[in-house]
Amino acid sequence: MTYMLLYNIGSHDAVTKVLWTKHLRFAICQLLTVLCIVRDDATVRKGLKMNTLYLRHNFVRFFKDIKNLSPLSQCSLLIHLDDFKRTALRVLGNAYGIPNAVLPLR
């Protein structure tokens, strides 16, 4: 579940699927218990945290927390890193740069 979430980072559908997929098999009375167990899983919490950082464009915390992920989780994020780095450079260039200067983003 965590790897699917990290592979589809930024997708609200992926978050919904993580929180609700396993629960369709259970009765309504067990639903809240299972939901709490899935949320309390450390790897799922890390995946949800990375997804939140990605959606909020918190560049510094996102790149610091990548170092704390497992190697397989880092591989799941690899396809999104170029776009996220490009976005971070664009934001930093607009915030701190000279108005006529352009950073090479490719």
Side-chain angles (χ1 to χ4, degrees), residues 40-86:
D40 289 340
D41 185 27
T43 56
V44 173
R45 274 188 286 148
K46 284 182 184 178
L48 289 171
K49 180 181 177 186
M50 295 302 291
N51 197 10
T52 303
L53 294 173
Y54 182 85
L55 291 173
R56 291 183 178 173
H57 294 286
N58 189 345
F59 307 113
V60 175
R61 178 56 51 195
F62 182 83
F63 288 114
K64 281 184 180 179
D65 285 351
I66 285 177
K67 297 174 186 175
N68 298 331
L69 294 176
S70 68
L72 190 56
S73 297
Q74 291 176 356
C75 290
S76 298
L77 281 174
L78 190 62
I79 61 170
H80 300 287
L81 285 183
D82 287 339
D83 292 332
F84 203 62
K85 285 179 184 178
R86 194 174 299 122

Side-chain angles (χ1 to χ4, degrees), residues 5 8-12 51 54-55:
L5 178 65
N8 297 313
I9 196 164
S11 170
H12 296 289
N51 197 10
Y54 182 85
L55 291 173

